[in-house]
Amino acid sequence: MTDSASQSIPSLQISQDLTRVAGVLEDMQNHGELYPTASPGIPPVAFGAGGPMLKQFDQSTVTSRRGSRAPTPPLSVKGIGNKVAKPDYSESKIVLAMVGLPARGKSYLSNKLMIYLKWLEYDVKVFNVGQLRRTRAKQKAQQSGIKEDHTASWFSHDNAQANESRERLAQDSLEMLIQWLREGGNVGIHDATNSTRSRRAWIEQRVAKEKGISLIFLESICDDPAVIAANVALKVSSGDPDYKDTSPEEAKRDFLRRISEYEKVYETITEPDLSYLKIINVGSRVTVSRIHGYLSSRIAFYLMNLHLKPRSIYLSRHGESQFNVEGKIGGDSLLSRRGMQYADALPALITDNIGNAPLTVWTSTLRRTIQTAGQLPYPKLTWKSLDELDAGVCDGMTYEDKFNYRYRGGESYRDVVVRLEPVIMELERQENILIIGHQAILRCLYAYFHHLPQADLPYIKIPLHTVIKLTPKAYGCDEERYALPISAVDTHRPKPKAPQLTVHASTARQYYTPELKG
């Protein structure tokens, strides 16, 4: 990517912005929208299913058709296949330091990036300074009985003692991050405001002392009052310990005062020597400067494709196929009689659920998915990348199912994850999508949206004749399943000598450092 000139951002009209935000919050309160109870942990406007839509970074509706070719194992491989090793990412070391005011979506971006890179098998960890602050305050209260006051005045730049504490927390968090990178991590995300030039200069100087570690700043700017109000509402309605035993009205006022304290000293990135991305209103505009290298560019491209439009992603396997009935894998067989019944019943299920909202159907190039989608009254796109895991010389034979196992002349689950990356990029750009695919493919996509470990991926249960509805939220993904009463064979193979894998969907934000919980 080419460098771009650093642009000076206006002062964001501090007082005017806060006035507008307060007005939006008041309107939300008057309409009963400020304190949702049905879905704790989800911002009611920016991320909720009925919230306003932001502009996409790219308004194009043209979808690329990505070809795929299964990696071929070495000629020396004998038998029906072999195990493949995890890619060696040991040379990839990046500190990604967040920049931005409170309630601007920094933690949302951090979480999304972590899930994406972990899905690709990078070792990624978020070091959230707010979590560290709350955890240490909780430990202090438990040990000494002294409860720290973390109201807005604690975040004032004029509060010398608190200012020193905040700097120490940021420094300690960065030291933990660097130590973690030394021990083998790939991308450490420093989730803090980092909102002054002096703080960023210190981070740059500290990282420069470490050989082989590069630094990228990611600034999230938001001047949309509705989005800011939604994020403020999240703080006061989702169990933030900072506002325990505080009324919602007082919590709202205090958090707005906290934002005001940060805005007094906030300095947007203008330093010409820094590598950075500047994302405005979560993707409506992006500035990229001095981003070089494969992993850095990969991170930038992913973040440029995110948006906050409310949407759902529907996953369905093709109807039962003739090969399913015969217990065979792979192939390009047609649907069985029961599979055709599912194809006939699918349109009513989808239209009843989605109503008049726009929807695009994606299928693989194999006949059983195209048959299943045949009667759906929506635009359709065919992706080669959505074809089933290539069983190589075992096509049409018995089934073996492991993440690291690569069929001779075919693929492993790891290979499938790699070829699905462009599909994930496009899913992040799009709105409502129905994917009619195959068991291995849908397992990989499902694992991405639910942030599941790769080791569990081959054992996720994706039954035939069932539609899975995934609705991305701020810090997770809601799930609903619709099983049609049409019988089919069970192709699921549980993990040997292990309990049945159970997925617990969670959309709640974490407020404490996991390993330091008291």
Side-chain angles (χ1 to χ4, degrees):
M1 298 186 181
T2 58
D3 296 352
S4 67
S6 300
Q7 298 179 5
S8 178
I9 304 296
S11 64
L12 307 180
Q13 293 88 30
I14 294 170
S15 59
Q16 295 95 323
D17 273 358
L18 286 177
T19 300
R20 288 187 293 162
V21 170
V24 172
L25 284 166
E26 185 175 355
D27 290 341
M28 291 166 63
Q29 183 173 351
N30 292 337
H31 289 85
E33 299 173 349
L34 183 54
Y35 314 118
T37 57
S39 190
I42 309 305
V45 175
F47 301 96
M53 295 184 177
L54 299 180
K55 294 180 180 178
Q56 290 189 47
F57 172 70
D58 185 350
Q59 296 288 351
S60 171
T61 58
V62 178
T63 302
S64 303
R65 296 190 181 184
R66 309 280 184 165
S68 65
R69 186 177 183 85
T72 303
L75 295 177
S76 61
V77 171
K78 298 184 179 179
I80 63 171
N82 71 321
K83 287 188 177 182
V84 290
K86 177 181 176 180
D88 182 7
Y89 294 136
S90 59
E91 298 302 313
S92 301
K93 305 282 184 183
I94 293 177
V95 173
L96 191 141
M98 302 302 297
V99 176
L101 294 166
R104 264 55 175 189
K106 298 186 301 300
S107 294
Y108 167 76
L109 293 173
S110 299
N111 190 58
K112 287 290 291 184
L113 181 61
M114 177 190 68
I115 291 172
Y116 164 69
L117 291 176
K118 278 192 169 184
W119 186 72
L120 294 174
E121 294 191 270
Y122 288 95
D123 199 359
V124 187
K125 188 173 181 179
V126 176
F127 294 79
N128 184 290
V129 174
Q131 288 181 355
L132 183 61
R133 169 180 61 80
R134 296 184 196 96
T135 301
R136 288 185 174 176
K138 182 179 180 180
Q139 292 172 337
K140 181 178 180 179
Q142 290 173 340
Q143 294 166 5
S144 66
I146 299 174
K147 183 179 179 180
E148 293 185 350
D149 178 13
H150 288 174
T151 55
S153 60
W154 195 84
F155 297 90
S156 170
H157 195 69
D158 296 329
N159 186 332
Q161 184 176 357
N163 196 48
E164 182 180 346
S165 297
R166 294 197 311 276
E167 290 299 317
R168 185 166 57 252
L169 285 165
Q171 292 170 11
D172 289 351
S173 179
L174 185 61
E175 290 301 327
M176 294 177 193
L177 186 160
I178 290 172
Q179 181 60 34
W180 176 81
L181 288 177
R182 288 175 184 158
E183 294 171 354
N186 299 127
V187 179
I189 302 175
H190 192 245
D191 189 0
T193 56
N194 297 326
S195 54
T196 63
R197 292 188 184 93
S198 59
R199 168 77 69 80
R200 294 192 291 270
W202 174 80
I203 293 174
E204 184 181 23
Q205 292 167 7
R206 177 62 189 89
V207 174
K209 296 178 181 178
E210 301 295 323
K211 183 178 180 181
I213 299 180
S214 57
L215 172 64
I216 301 173
F217 288 96
L218 171 58
E219 182 174 12
S220 181
I221 296 174
C222 182
D223 55 11
D224 185 328
V227 176
I228 299 171
N231 291 336
V232 172
L234 171 62
K235 294 288 289 187
V236 303
S237 65
S238 62
D240 188 331
D242 288 347
Y243 296 114
K244 184 181 179 181
D245 303 324
T246 304
S247 71
E249 292 78 12
E250 177 54 34
K252 179 186 71 174
R253 287 193 293 269
D254 183 81
F255 192 62
L256 289 175
R257 287 196 295 268
R258 182 192 300 188
I259 294 173
S260 180
E261 293 296 342
Y262 272 106
E263 284 183 315
K264 292 174 183 177
V265 296
Y266 178 71
E267 297 169 305
T268 188
I269 297 177
T270 57
E271 301 93 314
D273 59 316
L274 297 184
S275 297
Y276 68 85
L277 290 94
K278 190 174 294 189
I279 298 181
I280 301 171
N281 292 331
V282 192
S284 64
R285 189 153 53 94
V286 179
T287 299
V288 180
S289 181
R290 302 178 68 86
I291 298 296
H292 305 287
Y294 176 71
L295 181 54
S296 298
S297 299
R298 206 170 190 176
I299 289 170
F301 186 64
Y302 175 75
L303 292 169
M304 290 163 65
N305 280 282
L306 295 180
H307 71 82
L308 296 181
K309 286 188 176 183
R311 43 74 179 264
S312 291
I313 295 160
Y314 300 84
L315 305 178
S316 171
R317 290 177 66 184
H318 53 77
E320 180 189 71
S321 73
Q322 295 169 2
F323 265 30
N324 290 147
V325 175
E326 296 168 14
K328 297 178 180 178
I329 59 175
D332 192 15
S333 67
L334 296 171
L335 297 180
S336 69
R337 178 182 55 82
R338 294 183 300 195
M340 288 302 300
Q341 291 175 354
Y342 179 69
D344 291 340
L346 187 59
L349 174 62
I350 297 299
T351 53
D352 287 349
N353 189 281
I354 200 167
N356 295 322
L359 176 75
T360 302
V361 179
W362 293 357
T363 71
S364 74
T365 66
L366 301 178
R367 293 184 296 174
R368 53 194 183 272
T369 65
I370 295 171
Q371 268 190 298
T372 304
Q375 299 183 52
L376 289 165
Y378 303 103
K380 301 179 183 72
L381 290 171
T382 301
W383 285 68
K384 178 66 176 171
S385 290
L386 291 174
D387 284 1
E388 179 59 305
L389 182 150
D390 187 345
V393 298
C394 302
D395 208 40
M397 294 171 60
T398 56
Y399 190 84
E400 183 164 352
D401 192 1
K402 298 175 183 176
F403 182 75
N404 294 311
Y405 187 85
R406 177 185 287 159
Y407 290 101
R408 187 180 181 189
E411 292 179 294
S412 67
Y413 270 86
R414 175 172 284 123
D415 299 322
V416 171
V417 165
V418 171
R419 73 164 152 99
L420 283 175
E421 185 181 7
V423 176
I424 289 296
M425 288 289 186
E426 195 64 23
L427 277 173
E428 291 292 3
R429 294 176 63 245
Q430 298 293 332
E431 295 180 45
N432 299 313
I433 297 290
L434 165 61
I435 299 177
I436 298 178
H438 308 271
Q439 182 169 241
I441 301 303
L442 298 187
R443 281 172 169 163
C444 295
L445 297 175
Y446 183 92
Y448 168 78
F449 283 104
H450 274 309
H451 190 203
L452 300 180
Q454 300 287 33
D456 292 340
L457 191 153
Y459 307 104
I460 298 169
K461 190 165 187 177
I462 309 288
L464 288 165
H465 300 172
T466 300
V467 174
I468 302 173
K469 179 183 179 181
L470 301 177
T471 304
K473 300 286 185 172
Y475 295 101
C477 192
D478 285 344
E479 176 182 329
E480 300 170 65
R481 292 199 177 202
Y482 305 92
L484 287 175
I486 301 170
S487 60
V489 298
D490 184 2
T491 62
H492 180 69
R493 303 292 185 271
K495 190 173 185 178
K497 301 178 182 179
Q500 175 65 44
L501 175 65
T502 303
V503 177
H504 299 285
S506 174
T507 56
R509 181 173 181 174
Q510 297 299 314
Y511 287 105
Y512 294 101
T513 304
E515 60 268 33
L516 297 178
K517 282 183 178 178

